[in-house]
Amino acid sequence: AFDNKDAVYGADYMNGFDIINTTNLHITTAGADTLGSLSVPDYWIWDILFDNNQTTWLRGVNYFAWKKENEKKYTVVKSIEGFPGKITPSFIRLIGKQHIAIGIPGLGTLIYNSQTLEKTGVIRNFSPNSASLIEVRDIALKGDVAYLATPNSIIAGSYQDDKWVFAREYKVPAFAGTVVNSIICDRNNTVWAGTNNGLFKINLNTGKVFQYQVMPGKTRWLEDNTIRH
């Protein structure tokens, strides 16, 4: 993740995160001691996100946390009222210019207002085509449109006035039996999905899907089929 001071933050799920100054390439590591002083429960960090207000968001194994730019410590969330047991956040992404989405398996997608840092709701179903909980695996925001990866489709819509506005659902049968780890949308209206079964290229204009997988003997290609980010 990039902050507003020419630094890149890299999550290390075993050792906290590294802060890389892009001007002089100096690297500072925020490990167990540093994170402890910031009230972060442990140094198992999976994701880092800076929102449009320069608030830092962290996704841990059993928690998520945020810290405003001028604050000294993180606010940590380990449980959700009315939801039993530990939470295991699956992603933390922008779903709108001023809203953060956090995936909680078994519950749905939490939405936070990044200005007030208040929870505005929990979304369990993003598509009128489904009557049950939709498992969102990742979100890519392009302008005002959010693209959501589910086990069998890409859902497009926007978060406006504290509510989800559905636009369209693109069915992707090729996702069957595949775990989607991450998605991104390019300027050609193409969604790229990293999975445990290679890299998928989904043209939203034509509906065509192309799958890139390991090809033995081919150089400058995928080394394995597990694409996480």
Side-chain angles (χ1 to χ4, degrees):
F2 288 88
D3 68 4
N4 63 350
K5 298 177 181 177
D6 297 322
V8 176
Y9 285 62
D12 184 336
Y13 70 91
M14 295 183 65
N15 296 298
F17 55 82
D18 296 323
I19 306 170
I20 306 169
N21 186 312
T22 57
T23 302
N24 57 26
L25 298 183
H26 177 73
I27 300 176
T28 303
T29 298
D33 293 339
T34 301
L35 294 177
S37 67
L38 296 173
S39 296
V40 176
D42 56 54
Y43 48 81
W44 297 82
I45 309 296
W46 289 99
D47 276 324
I48 303 174
L49 172 71
F50 285 92
D51 65 25
N52 293 322
N53 304 298
Q54 283 301 299
T55 297
T56 311
W57 295 77
L58 303 179
R59 177 174 72 93
V61 177
N62 296 119
Y63 69 90
F64 62 90
W66 67 79
K67 182 177 77 67
K68 291 184 178 179
E69 186 174 9
N70 297 321
E71 290 181 338
K72 294 183 178 179
K73 294 187 176 183
Y74 283 86
T75 297
V76 178
V77 177
K78 293 183 177 181
S79 61
I80 304 296
E81 184 178 357
F83 183 70
K86 294 181 179 180
I87 62 172
T88 55
S90 56
F91 65 82
I92 183 165
R93 296 284 187 267
L94 284 168
I95 196 171
K97 292 180 179 178
Q98 298 297 338
H99 289 90
I100 304 295
I102 304 167
I104 306 295
L107 176 64
T109 302
L110 300 178
I111 307 296
Y112 276 79
N113 184 306
S114 61
Q115 292 180 309
T116 64
L117 297 178
E118 295 181 353
K119 185 176 71 174
T120 62
V122 179
I123 303 178
R124 293 177 56 85
N125 193 332
F126 287 88
S127 171
N129 301 323
S130 176
S132 59
L133 170 67
I134 291 180
E135 179 190 358
V136 177
R137 293 180 170 169
D138 197 19
I139 297 175
L141 183 66
K142 181 185 175 186
D144 294 325
V145 179
Y147 295 92
L148 287 61
T150 80
N152 57 22
S153 68
I154 300 292
I155 298 174
S158 58
Y159 198 78
Q160 305 172 14
D161 300 322
D162 289 337
K163 64 180 181 180
W164 172 253
V165 179
F166 171 83
R168 184 174 177 181
E169 184 170 10
Y170 305 83
K171 293 294 184 180
V172 187
F175 279 173
T178 295
V179 176
V180 178
N181 296 317
S182 61
I183 64 167
I184 191 170
C185 186
D186 66 21
R187 57 186 170 184
N188 297 317
N189 210 28
T190 298
V191 168
W192 297 80
T195 77
N196 67 335
N197 196 24
L199 179 66
F200 286 77
K201 178 183 178 182
I202 306 149
N203 187 313
L204 299 181
N205 295 321
T206 64
K208 291 183 178 180
V209 178
F210 186 83
Q211 184 178 9
Y212 297 88
Q213 290 184 304
V214 168
M215 297 180 66
K218 187 167 184 176
T219 59
R220 300 180 67 180
W221 199 250
L222 298 181
E223 293 187 1
D224 62 62
N225 287 327
T226 301
I227 312 295
R228 297 192 181 278
H229 295 288

